[in-house]
Amino acid sequence: MAMFDKHKSSKQPPQREEEPMVTRQAPSPSAPPTTSTPSKVAMVGDGISITGDVNANSNLKVEGRIEGRAVSSSQDIEVAESGVIKASITAKVVRIAGAVAGDITGSEKVIISSSGRVQGNIVAPRVQLDDGALFRGSIDMNPAEPAQASKPAAAKPAAEARPASPAPKPAQANKPSAPGAKKEPGLTLKSG
Amino acid sequence: MSLAARKLSVSVTSRRTGPIIARHQSKLLAGLFPRVGPEHRLTVLEIGPALPETVEFFSQFRCRLHFLDLYDEPFLRDQQNELSEKELRHRFEEQFAFPEGSQLDICLFGDFLSFLNDRALRAFNSALRPWIHPETRAHGFGVHHLAVKLEHHQYGIIDRDNLSIRSRHSDTMTYHPHSQVEMADMLNCFAFARGLLLPSGKLEMMLKPKAV
């Protein structure tokens, strides 16, 4: 390795290894670039496994695996194609391209994309299922009013969820089970 | 895909359905929604996978949709001819684990009834009976003899008058034709509200609970 390294500039920063959980400034994918406001995204990276509850005060993207009782965010949750969640999920908008076993509450919308696989019950004002998505369970829709995070069907995750507030306190990470996981603002882990 | 994801995908084992291959203009479907206003909350049972157009259609209503894809259930696919009616009824009852107090307003059977033998059809009827009420309406298709070829299709609701037809990517189950009289006898919690013989030889059915 050293014989290759010697050609590198000494000023070059070391190549970043896998960063399991980071908080990033990322533009909202749905908003046009000119008007988008960067928003924080907490991330559970591919290859990372967490056993316990996760509570985020920012958007949360899951590329790894979470197994517990509740995964919640006061913003949006995205389960990437490689992501697996075995827990109930509560957020404003929930997008699923990976696999979920658990009930899902979206106060605005739940979207299961074509690669998504969901086993559980969904409560949301609007639910979008893309062609090819696999879903087993029930869907509770009420287009007239946003789903309440405190509905009985989602009582457990709602109890864990922190509703959006004007000045949310930065959350402290508890004891993550994943080696290498570190405390990040806006993300709370509770080991199960 | 990770091993865990693969394991999970197996548990969500609905077979993937293909793209929409045809539409069926239905003269009976609109009869499912005669008294449905925006304030009404619908409870719907679909025997089949959740399809995008069905979810989209029902998103205009306050509703609870129960998707039960029974086509690949081993007790029907592999054991239907061995199990007794009582055993079949128990299996159906396990599947119909709706929240207590639920009452189904709409049942969407698709072709499902034609994949049930006589015992299974009676068992299905017995297990479903507690969940229906006098205003329940059901829609489905039947075949009354083996000369009618039953493709393995899934139906989605595009609007009140149109169904989508998709191919189902799984082995075709054995189908069991029932005449309208046989069907009415075995599915005896329902009575035929309307039946329409289609050019394909299938019978499109609108069912309502039998008056007791």
Side-chain angles (χ1 to χ4, degrees):
Chain A
M1 285 297 287
M3 66 182 287
F4 295 106
D5 288 341
K6 69 183 178 184
H7 296 296
K8 290 180 182 173
S9 161
S10 59
K11 289 181 179 176
Q12 192 177 4
Q15 197 163 14
R16 196 171 63 180
E17 291 184 0
E18 188 174 50
E19 200 170 351
M21 286 186 293
V22 295
T23 303
R24 292 177 180 167
Q25 301 286 328
S28 167
S30 59
T34 51
T35 57
S36 66
T37 309
S39 57
K40 284 183 179 177
V41 178
M43 192 158 161
V44 177
D46 195 5
I48 298 302
S49 180
I50 294 174
T51 303
D53 299 343
V54 176
N55 186 354
N57 282 335
S58 59
N59 293 328
L60 175 65
K61 184 172 183 179
V62 179
E63 293 179 348
R65 179 186 178 89
I66 301 174
E67 196 163 336
R69 279 185 311 141
V71 175
S72 60
S73 169
S74 57
Q75 301 299 314
D76 300 348
I77 293 179
E78 179 184 351
V79 183
E81 200 166 339
S82 60
V84 177
I85 295 182
K86 285 189 171 182
S88 60
I89 298 175
T90 305
K92 279 185 181 172
V93 177
V94 183
R95 293 184 184 82
I96 298 160
V100 172
D103 294 344
I104 301 167
T105 301
S107 61
E108 290 180 9
K109 194 172 186 180
V110 172
I111 302 164
I112 307 176
S113 59
S114 56
S115 58
R117 303 170 302 285
V118 175
Q119 184 166 19
N121 302 318
I122 297 175
V123 180
R126 296 274 300 179
V127 176
Q128 180 186 317
L129 207 64
D130 289 348
D131 243 345
L134 294 180
F135 171 72
R136 187 179 177 98
S138 70
I139 296 176
D140 206 329
M141 282 191 286
N142 187 350
E145 64 183 45
Q148 297 296 311
S150 58
K151 276 189 174 178
K156 276 188 177 176
E160 303 287 344
R162 294 179 182 204
S165 60
K169 291 179 186 175
Q172 294 292 319
N174 285 348
K175 196 174 73 178
S177 63
K182 55 187 178 183
K183 291 180 180 180
E184 294 297 339
L187 189 65
T188 306
L189 307 177
K190 288 182 185 173
S191 58
Chain B
M1 195 194 304
S2 68
L3 180 62
R6 258 185 240 122
K7 279 181 184 170
L8 184 57
S9 74
V10 171
S11 68
V12 189
T13 186
S14 301
R15 303 294 168 98
R16 286 180 191 274
T17 49
I20 296 174
I21 54 171
R23 287 181 176 217
H24 169 68
Q25 191 169 14
S26 170
K27 292 179 178 168
L28 304 186
L29 192 65
L32 289 173
F33 313 99
R35 289 167 288 274
V36 171
E39 76 293 343
H40 191 96
R41 183 184 172 80
L42 283 173
T43 303
V44 180
L45 169 64
E46 160 93 60
I47 303 290
L51 296 179
E53 56 273 22
T54 304
V55 174
E56 173 66 22
F57 171 76
F58 279 106
S59 70
Q60 63 187 294
F61 301 107
R62 291 180 65 208
C63 62
R64 180 164 221 181
L65 311 176
H66 296 280
F67 292 99
L68 276 183
D69 193 354
L70 300 176
Y71 289 89
D72 286 323
E73 285 297 324
F75 81 93
L76 289 175
R77 173 172 289 279
D78 307 322
Q79 302 169 300
Q80 189 177 153
N81 292 325
E82 286 80 51
L83 295 175
S84 70
E85 185 178 326
K86 189 178 175 183
E87 289 168 324
L88 286 163
R89 193 184 76 228
H90 286 321
R91 303 293 178 92
F92 280 122
E93 284 170 348
E94 286 168 5
Q95 298 290 328
F96 298 154
F98 306 122
E100 201 177 329
S102 292
Q103 293 275 272
L104 302 171
D105 299 301
I106 295 173
C107 299
L108 302 168
F109 296 146
D111 290 326
F112 181 69
L113 303 179
S114 296
F115 289 107
L116 302 180
N117 64 24
D118 292 2
R119 281 198 309 274
L121 189 55
R122 280 193 291 265
F124 178 77
N125 177 74
S126 304
L128 190 62
R129 188 194 300 270
W131 304 103
I132 64 174
H133 62 86
E135 300 300 320
T136 303
R137 294 292 180 270
H139 178 273
F141 296 93
V143 289
H144 54 90
H145 56 76
L146 283 166
V148 178
K149 192 169 187 298
L150 188 62
E151 303 282 356
H152 208 167
H153 286 156
Q154 299 298 159
Y155 303 90
I157 299 181
I158 296 169
D159 56 43
R160 289 174 187 242
D161 300 311
N162 288 285
L163 291 168
S164 65
I165 301 176
R166 294 166 179 261
S167 291
R168 187 180 174 89
H169 294 162
S170 63
D171 300 332
T172 306
M173 286 167 71
T174 306
Y175 68 100
H176 303 271
H178 307 287
S179 70
Q180 189 169 334
V181 174
E182 290 169 340
M183 184 88 80
D185 180 46
M186 289 181 279
L187 197 66
N188 63 15
C189 64
F190 284 108
F192 277 76
R194 285 185 72 189
L196 199 62
L197 192 60
L198 304 175
S200 62
K202 277 186 183 179
L203 180 71
E204 185 177 359
M205 307 174 290
M206 172 68 67
L207 307 169
K208 62 180 182 182
K210 190 174 277 185
V212 199

